Amino acid sequence: MTRMPLPDAPKTATIDDARTVGHTPASAFGDDPMTRWFFPDGASRETGLGRHFTTLITRQYGLHGVCKQTESAAAFWVSPEGADKAVPDAKTTQGLVEILGDRAPAFQEAVMAAAEHGPAEPHWYLAAIGADPAARGQGHGSALLRSGLAKADAAGLPVHLESSKPDNPPVYEHFGFVIRDEFSLPGGGPVLWSMKREPRA
């Protein structure tokens, strides 16, 4: 019987890795209902998502968050200490508006709606996690998830995330997350599940 190779250990990504790391979630989120809502044109979606994630890494998560990667997956986390700083500044917002075009208002409304459903107490936030579609099922996402959860557990803090893909909540529940809330994005957008995981000893 052939053994599937284990994913490499998660490594910290820096701003210098932004373009490479940004490509991974761009391909991973191509079939995600929320990103399809923001980037409705299938022909340009992956390019737009690549620019979108590269901007977020360069201007936001790479400076005030924790970016982790394997050879085929990436995850972006924000600690309680980085939460206020990780909010996009005016230059970042302008860059995202240029990338999103006429979908920028929908994105801004979604961000505000999601913020209303997040926990009030200090927590780690899993902003995004995804594996290249060709590597799904090989353990890359799980390795990244465990790496971040270990940091939150060590600090005795909960973890919060949102997901718009119906297949995802059961996967996160396997790691101890529970659904806190379910709501639709404004303007006829997709359903979003707000999930939380309490710290483990």
Side-chain angles (χ1 to χ4, degrees):
M1 184 170 68
T2 304
R3 282 184 178 271
M4 185 176 294
L6 294 174
D8 52 327
K11 300 178 295 185
T12 299
T14 68
I15 292 176
D16 293 337
D17 304 313
R19 289 191 181 277
T20 303
V21 178
H23 172 75
T24 302
S27 59
F29 282 84
D31 62 349
D32 187 272
M34 186 162 64
T35 53
R36 291 171 69 93
W37 174 244
F38 299 143
F39 295 91
D41 181 8
S44 62
R45 183 177 300 128
E46 187 165 338
T47 299
L49 281 172
R51 293 177 61 204
H52 174 82
F53 282 113
T54 299
T55 298
L56 290 177
I57 297 165
T58 304
R59 301 281 310 167
Q60 191 172 348
Y61 301 129
L63 296 174
H64 309 296
V66 178
C67 300
K68 291 284 188 176
Q69 64 174 329
T70 68
E71 62 183 16
S72 300
F76 310 136
W77 301 81
V78 180
S79 70
E81 295 78 16
D84 292 338
K85 296 177 182 177
V87 175
D89 59 19
K91 187 174 181 180
T92 305
T93 300
Q94 181 57 40
L96 294 175
V97 166
E98 292 173 2
I99 294 167
L100 288 154
D102 61 4
R103 300 303 295 155
F107 176 76
Q108 292 168 329
E109 289 177 353
V111 170
M112 290 187 290
E116 293 175 0
H117 293 269
E121 74 269 30
H123 63 278
W124 276 79
Y125 175 55
L126 178 54
I129 185 169
D132 188 301
R136 283 179 185 166
Q138 297 179 12
H140 291 273
S142 296
L144 289 171
L145 192 53
R146 289 190 181 97
S147 174
L149 294 178
K151 287 182 177 292
D153 286 344
L157 292 170
V159 178
H160 169 65
L161 62 81
E162 299 105 7
S163 179
S164 66
K165 199 169 182 179
D167 292 344
N168 286 347
V171 175
Y172 292 126
E173 287 172 343
H174 176 74
F175 288 90
F177 285 87
V178 296
I179 295 174
R180 297 177 64 251
D181 205 354
E182 178 181 327
F183 58 98
S184 295
L185 293 180
V191 170
L192 211 63
W193 288 275
S194 171
M195 304 189 72
K196 181 181 177 184
R197 178 188 181 272
E198 296 295 344
R200 294 179 177 178

